[in-house]
Amino acid sequence: TQEQASVITIFGGSGDLARRKLYPALFQLYRHGILHDHFAVIGTARRPWTNEYYRDVIATSLEGEAGAVSDSVHAFASHFYYQSHDVTDADHYVTLRKLSAQLDDKYSAGGNRLFYMAMAPQFFGIIASHIRSEQLLSASGYNRLVIEKPFGHDFDSAKELNDSINSAFDEDQIYRIDHYLGKEMVQSLMAIRFGNPVFKPIWNRDYVDNVQITLAEAVGVEERAGYYETAGALRDMVQNHIMQLIAYVAMPEPESLTPAAVHQAKRSILESLKPLTTAQAADNFVRGQYVGDTPDQRDYVQEDGVAADSKTETFVAGRIELTDSAWTGVPFYVRTGKHMTRKSTQITVNFKPTEHNIFAPVGCPDLSGNSLTIFVEPEEGYRLVVNSKQLGQDYHVGQFPLNFRHTANEIANAPEAYEHLIQDALAGNQTNFTRWHELKATWQYVDKIREAWDASPDMPTYESGSMGPSASDDLLAKYGDSWSWDG
Ligand code: BG6
């Protein structure tokens, strides 16, 4: 571990994301020596807080964190400074510039600046342009921008946002967060695919029948209706997390692990999303909204902040195809939703049955059970289902799972997604961040689905605690498939 020197400015320092994710992650980096003496964090937001109050907020956000004993929490929090900030007021940026310079001196932060945008996305552009016009960029160290989702609302708004941040930062200074890329099991996909002769040669249309990605959540919309009503499951989860998972599952082997090589491989897959006509989008994607009749699980339209006639989907299922020659004709079935059976992210690769089945005459007509499932979260591990002989005199072939899971203890001791990603940003490693061309391709794809949905009022419902509307099962049944799911 190498100590990283930086002045980190967090726009949105009083917000939920900062408290739930960023401060705990920064604390773990501190605990592990990646942040040590030579750093300061400036938190900005509108409210008029003092440094003391801010440091109390930091301490509170660390309750229950591993290693969060009072001395170290206190020492850590002493590096935090609060600056009340109106994002549209140029003078406030001048104050920030001076404060950054002062803290850089005080902590010998090497002239490095990390700007972290963790607030409402409508301000990302204006902040970026003020960072440039009020000269917050440092001349003596690095300047990096870390930017949270949502990165736009459709292709046009994403492009506008991208243009505005490009006015202050070059692409190699921009770290767009998709926190799924910080998850251990997502990072392990390359090792599974490219590190094993049992998988590497068969990971293509010749051997793969279909790929499935389920990103199920147990929670509902909670307190986020304001945002969620403008987004819905398609924008909230498919355009970003699910598309990134597809990229890692389907991309060709990169030449190396350099950011450029990995990004190139991912880009080639996302640019090969088979374009949809509006009619195809309507046929290949289904949406749904949860309904429920308990106090915890009300109808979505009864949730606080949700319009009574809301047409926001809380569930999406779809069938995606790629034009990449390794994958033509292989469906990628994806689904995600709120208030589903339980929280679990699973990726299953279903292999084709072997062409010649010598076991058919002895009563085993179906050898289609061979599959590999990657459990991303909350369990982390794999399950490989193999066909083998059942015990007994007769030669009957059955399916046997080979299972591996990391232990709860191992998981608890591994870095959390944000810890991985912030450490990467501090180290200047862009591999696990998304690039503009990936967003461009995925927004263009998703916009078509929105277009199809906006043209039709149809909104199937599903019971809270279920796996989505029946239309989602029907979608796969139409192609003779069914959902893979370890419940
Ligand atoms: C976020 C979405 O990007 O991902 C949330 O905005 C969702 O709606 C969350 O709950 C899921 O992330 P995780 O890490 O809990 O699977």
Side-chain angles (χ1 to χ4, degrees):
T1 54
Q2 201 190 338
E3 189 198 349
Q4 300 290 339
S6 195
V7 174
I8 302 170
T9 303
I10 300 179
F11 294 93
S14 65
D16 186 57
L17 178 85
R19 295 196 231 196
R20 277 190 311 113
K21 298 290 187 187
L22 307 190
Y23 301 146
L26 289 168
F27 178 71
Q28 293 305 332
L29 295 179
Y30 180 73
R31 200 178 146 221
H32 295 122
I34 287 115
L35 295 176
H36 189 52
D37 290 330
H38 302 105
F39 79 102
V41 180
I42 303 174
T44 80
R46 286 198 75 119
R47 17 189 126 177
W49 285 356
T50 60
N51 287 342
E52 288 64 38
Y53 187 84
Y54 184 44
R55 289 170 192 171
D56 283 346
V57 169
I58 304 298
T60 309
S61 75
L62 301 179
E63 279 168 15
E65 272 300 304
V69 292
S70 134
D71 282 359
S72 62
V73 168
H74 188 76
F76 171 69
S78 73
H79 288 257
F80 283 67
Y81 297 80
Y82 186 79
Q83 190 61 52
S84 168
H85 182 78
D86 171 352
V87 293
T88 60
D89 186 335
D91 289 346
H92 285 189
Y93 292 87
V94 176
T95 312
L96 278 182
R97 178 189 4 138
K98 290 182 182 151
L99 180 60
S100 309
Q102 245 173 34
L103 294 175
D104 200 318
D105 273 357
K106 175 164 177 181
Y107 294 101
S108 308
N112 296 326
R113 299 284 183 275
L114 191 83
F115 301 96
Y116 200 121
M117 292 198 196
M119 62 190 308
Q122 65 265 34
F123 302 122
F124 292 165
I126 192 153
I127 298 172
S129 66
H130 276 101
I131 286 176
R132 190 182 59 150
S133 61
E134 306 319 315
Q135 296 158 26
L136 270 73
L137 298 175
S138 153
S140 56
Y142 65 66
N143 292 289
R144 294 181 190 144
L145 174 71
V146 181
I147 184 162
E148 277 292 338
K149 66 173 284 236
F151 200 94
H153 179 254
D154 52 16
F155 170 68
D156 290 341
S157 56
K159 177 155 190 335
E160 197 180 310
L161 170 57
N162 201 54
D163 290 345
S164 68
I165 62 176
N166 276 155
S167 70
F169 294 90
D170 295 334
E171 186 70 14
D172 66 2
Q173 298 175 311
I174 301 172
Y175 294 71
R176 297 182 194 79
I177 295 250
D178 182 313
H179 76 286
Y180 268 66
L181 303 188
K183 293 184 191 275
E184 288 284 350
M185 294 308 295
V186 176
Q187 297 192 349
S188 77
L189 281 166
M190 283 204 282
I192 295 168
R193 292 192 49 200
F194 307 124
N196 295 295
V198 291
F199 296 129
K200 196 167 156 175
I202 59 164
W203 208 270
N204 54 55
R205 65 188 299 261
D206 295 337
Y207 296 96
V208 174
D209 187 81
N210 66 79
V211 175
Q212 304 201 6
I213 299 176
T214 296
L215 221 155
E217 293 194 274
V219 294
V221 65
E222 305 191 295
E223 284 88 45
R224 299 168 71 224
Y227 152 73
Y228 200 79
E229 275 282 272
T230 66
L234 181 68
R235 293 186 176 106
D236 188 45
M237 303 292 268
V238 177
Q239 179 273 329
N240 42 34
H241 309 320
I242 286 186
M243 289 297 184
Q244 289 293 324
L245 294 180
I246 291 179
Y248 271 103
V249 169
M251 72 186 189
E253 184 177 27
E255 270 170 35
S256 68
L257 282 183
T258 60
V262 173
H263 291 149
Q264 178 48 42
K266 286 172 66 189
R267 176 177 176 176
S268 75
I269 282 303
L270 293 172
E271 290 184 344
S272 91
L273 285 162
K274 191 173 173 185
L276 299 163
T277 62
T278 319
Q280 286 165 340
D283 279 351
N284 287 289
F285 283 82
V286 305
R287 55 184 159 165
Q289 214 179 52
Y290 61 76
V291 291
D293 53 13
T294 67
D296 292 345
Q297 308 211 318
R298 297 179 291 175
D299 292 357
Y300 175 70
V301 292
Q302 292 167 345
E303 302 273 23
D304 298 336
V306 172
D309 60 351
S310 172
K311 288 283 171 252
T312 301
E313 78 286 354
T314 62
F315 175 94
V316 190
R319 181 181 190 277
I320 294 172
E321 284 189 55
L322 302 173
T323 58
D324 185 284
S325 61
W327 295 106
T328 41
V330 179
F332 285 68
Y333 295 116
V334 305
R335 61 180 171 168
T336 182
K338 302 279 186 200
H339 269 333
M340 289 173 69
T341 310
R342 70 182 181 100
K343 168 78 180 171
S344 182
T345 300
Q346 305 180 9
I347 302 170
T348 297
V349 179
N350 288 308
F351 296 103
K352 290 183 172 168
T354 54
E355 264 171 36
H356 182 56
N357 177 4
I358 58 169
F359 311 107
V362 291
C364 308
D366 186 13
L367 290 181
S368 62
N370 190 196
S371 67
L372 175 70
T373 297
I374 294 126
F375 296 93
V376 175
E377 209 185 20
E379 318 96 298
E380 301 187 13
Y382 325 97
R383 183 191 58 195
L384 178 65
V385 178
V386 297
N387 290 311
S388 185
K389 183 186 173 299
Q390 289 177 342
L391 303 184
Q393 173 64 22
D394 295 336
Y395 207 100
H396 275 162
V397 175
Q399 293 167 0
F400 298 87
L402 310 179
N403 265 303
F404 167 79
R405 301 285 189 282
H406 288 293
T407 65
N409 197 34
E410 286 167 342
I411 295 171
N413 285 317
E416 202 271 332
Y418 273 93
E419 210 180 316
H420 270 301
L421 296 177
I422 297 174
Q423 184 169 352
D424 284 347
L426 287 165
N429 181 353
Q430 289 188 301
T431 309
N432 297 315
F433 296 84
T434 62
R435 313 260 73 196
W436 167 243
H437 285 282
E438 301 168 19
L439 301 186
K440 179 177 175 203
T442 53
W443 272 124
Q444 285 173 337
Y445 188 83
V446 156
D447 280 352
K448 268 286 172 213
I449 306 166
R450 266 291 14 135
E451 213 175 275
W453 286 351
D454 289 344
S456 114
D458 188 36
M459 174 62 76
T461 57
Y462 61 100
E463 290 296 325
S464 285
S466 74
M467 288 305 284
S470 54
S472 156
D473 298 328
D474 300 344
L475 172 69
L476 273 63
K478 221 166 42 182
Y479 296 94
D481 291 322
S482 59
W483 289 106
S484 307
W485 172 249
D486 187 294

